[in-house]
Amino acid sequence: MTVTLDPVLTARLADVAVNVGLNLQPGQDLVLTAPVEALPLVREIAASAYRAGAGVVTPILSDDAVARARFQNAQDESFDKAADWMYRGMAEAFGNGAARMAVAGADPMALAKEDPAKVARANKANSIAYKPALEKISNFHINWNIVAWPTAGWARQVFPDLPEDEAIVKLADAIFTASRVRVDDPVAAWAEHNAALAARSKWLNAERFDALHFTGPGTDLVVGLADGHEWHGGASTAQNGVTCNPNIPTEEVFTTPHAHRVNGTVRATKPLSYNGALIEEIEMRFVDGRAVEARSTSGETVLQSMIDSDEGARRLGEVALVPHRSPISDTGLLFYNTLFDENAACHIAMGQCYSKCFLDGASLTAEQVAAQGGNASMIHVDWMIGGPETDIDGVRADGSRVPVFRKGAWAQSV
Ligand code: ZN
Ligand code: ZN
């Protein structure tokens, strides 16, 4: 990176990530992954973490050019391998109580020109190797957080017409705004935001809808909710007892759909950036929870291999409600990054569900989660289905209906 970003806002973003995002505890270790360009933020995160009493902070940096060097030069056998030892080490660290932070922001198109079959094989090998560590995250054993930093490749994608330095500064501006660090006391601002999201979750949990019925252009979809589902939003408490904000930024309230009770058609309202490809105008048809048809106008090969990852990849693991108006969507930008784009629109996710999105979720076995309608998969991929014309009805078990969203906004005040 050739441009230096606002050092005060960078330090505040690091402090929000450590103290709100992770709520890192004295003596807790931290495993941190980041693109190499995020080094200025990584250094501030390390400083903030040690001020908060961290044991050992271990950063693991990645580089797009190194990743491309593999696809362009490695022998064929390479693409079925992963750095198993590293993922085992991460699983061991999490098992011993380390917190996990990921800095998002790598170039979404870094691998766009590489062979999609090789990319899919390498991703599959990584997913298998990472699974034991990922389970500690998806089962919420430990406090974890994702925060963002603008890399040149990402900024180029968001602002293709601007010179690179200018694009990076503009993307940083949007990240600082969306991450709510432009106030004197970002920690207090986050407490207020968390309280608002908690009030929405509480209302939905009291309603106990049987299903949500989404309608909008190209969409007429009934998403059955899992038995004993529980809505979450904003801060939540990990099994280690630490209350954290896994996503910075976050605008969503979300829960677990029923893996066998999703029916109808749905059209994406934003492109999905996945495995280095841009998947545009996704349309899917669901029958009894299973995506039986999937189309897109670009990236369809990647889309098909994504939903063929395993049996659970064709079923839903998450449904999330996000108003059309929020600090993120008000930027008017398409970020080509799930952390931001999913928090600008209602979305669903193919694949793995979050066991915490069940009443008493921490005590349920994998078999109980499945029996209540929770989905299992190696993948969890969010895509956006909400927009300014989205209406949602909550459908109760007796068939009566309650307006939940009208024209992309909450229909009730709570
Ligand atoms: Zn979500
Ligand atoms: Zn998700």
Side-chain angles (χ1 to χ4, degrees):
M1 187 174 303
T2 48
V3 60
T4 303
L5 298 172
D6 187 317
V8 173
L9 293 178
T10 301
R12 275 192 203 163
L13 183 61
D15 277 337
V16 162
V18 168
N19 296 312
V20 178
L22 285 180
N23 188 12
L24 193 74
Q25 300 296 297
Q28 197 174 22
D29 291 341
L30 171 59
V31 178
L32 169 65
T33 54
V36 70
E37 286 172 274
L39 205 46
L41 179 66
V42 169
R43 288 174 173 151
E44 290 293 341
I45 288 168
S48 183
Y50 284 121
R51 282 196 298 272
V56 177
V57 179
T58 305
I60 301 169
L61 301 179
S62 59
D63 179 57
D64 291 337
V66 170
R68 279 193 295 269
R70 181 186 186 192
F71 290 102
Q72 290 162 8
N73 300 285
Q75 55 183 355
D76 191 65
E77 293 77 29
S78 167
F79 304 106
D80 299 314
K81 291 187 71 176
D84 300 9
W85 61 271
M86 183 181 72
Y87 294 115
R88 278 197 302 272
M90 289 171 83
E92 185 183 332
F94 302 154
N96 292 336
R100 164 87 167 101
M101 193 188 292
V103 179
D107 181 358
M109 302 306 281
L111 302 178
K113 294 201 175 84
E114 310 307 325
D115 178 354
K118 286 180 180 171
V119 173
R121 281 164 63 198
N123 277 310
K124 186 165 186 179
N126 268 328
S127 296
I128 292 167
Y130 187 44
K131 192 165 188 264
L134 181 62
E135 276 173 358
K136 304 267 191 238
I137 309 295
S138 51
N139 294 331
F140 212 22
H141 284 271
I142 50 159
N143 43 328
W144 60 274
N145 169 249
I146 307 180
V147 65
W149 186 255
T151 63
W154 182 19
R156 244 191 334 266
Q157 179 84 24
V158 181
F159 301 104
D161 301 328
L162 293 182
E164 187 170 285
D165 282 4
E166 219 175 296
I168 292 169
V169 169
K170 283 203 86 149
L171 182 54
D173 278 350
I175 291 170
F176 292 139
T177 300
S179 305
R180 299 170 187 262
V181 297
R182 284 188 193 282
V183 289
D184 288 340
D185 190 350
V187 174
W190 270 93
E192 195 177 310
H193 180 48
N194 278 328
L197 292 170
R200 289 287 173 201
S201 305
K202 195 176 162 197
W203 177 72
L204 288 161
N205 284 327
E207 284 287 351
R208 299 229 55 77
F209 292 122
D210 181 63
L212 297 177
H213 186 178
F214 287 77
T215 49
T219 294
D220 185 353
L221 184 73
V222 176
V223 178
L225 300 180
D227 306 338
H229 69 272
E230 187 173 63
W231 290 89
H232 285 262
S236 52
T237 304
Q239 289 191 44
N240 64 2
V242 180
T243 300
C244 64
N245 264 91
N247 288 350
I248 301 279
T250 186
E251 302 291 336
E252 63 174 341
V253 293
F254 58 102
T255 195
T256 302
H258 197 293
H260 299 276
R261 292 202 299 114
V262 179
N263 286 287
T265 53
V266 57
R267 182 186 294 169
T269 50
K270 287 171 185 284
L272 168 65
S273 169
Y274 179 73
N275 279 358
L278 196 62
I279 310 176
E280 292 174 290
E281 295 181 42
I282 301 171
E283 288 189 323
M284 279 195 204
R285 188 164 69 86
F286 287 86
V287 175
D288 295 337
R290 191 166 190 272
V292 294
E293 274 177 50
R295 274 189 304 273
S296 62
T297 54
S298 73
E300 190 169 321
T301 312
V302 178
L303 175 68
Q304 296 297 346
S305 71
M306 187 247 294
I307 62 175
D308 282 335
S309 301
D310 56 24
E311 173 53 30
R314 282 182 181 264
R315 296 180 189 272
L316 298 189
E318 179 191 342
V319 58
L321 305 183
V322 183
H324 177 62
R325 297 291 309 274
S326 72
I328 301 176
S329 60
D330 285 352
T331 64
L333 299 173
L334 180 65
F335 287 88
Y336 301 95
N337 178 299
T338 301
L339 177 62
F340 285 77
D341 291 329
E342 77 159 342
N343 278 301
C346 292
H347 56 271
I348 49 180
M350 314 304 297
Q352 181 66 41
C353 74
Y354 289 107
S355 59
K356 75 167 179 179
C357 288
F358 285 95
L359 297 166
D360 209 12
S363 70
L364 298 178
T365 64
E367 290 71 27
Q368 286 169 318
V369 166
Q372 290 183 220
N375 192 34
S377 172
M378 281 191 305
I379 67 160
H380 176 101
V381 182
D382 300 279
W383 54 290
M384 280 48 81
I385 64 167
E389 294 173 73
T390 299
D391 286 347
I392 306 170
D393 279 356
V395 185
R396 296 195 179 112
D398 65 5
S400 61
R401 287 172 169 259
V402 178
V404 175
F405 264 49
R406 286 295 177 266
K407 298 259 172 253
W410 289 102
Q412 323 270 344
S413 54
V414 294

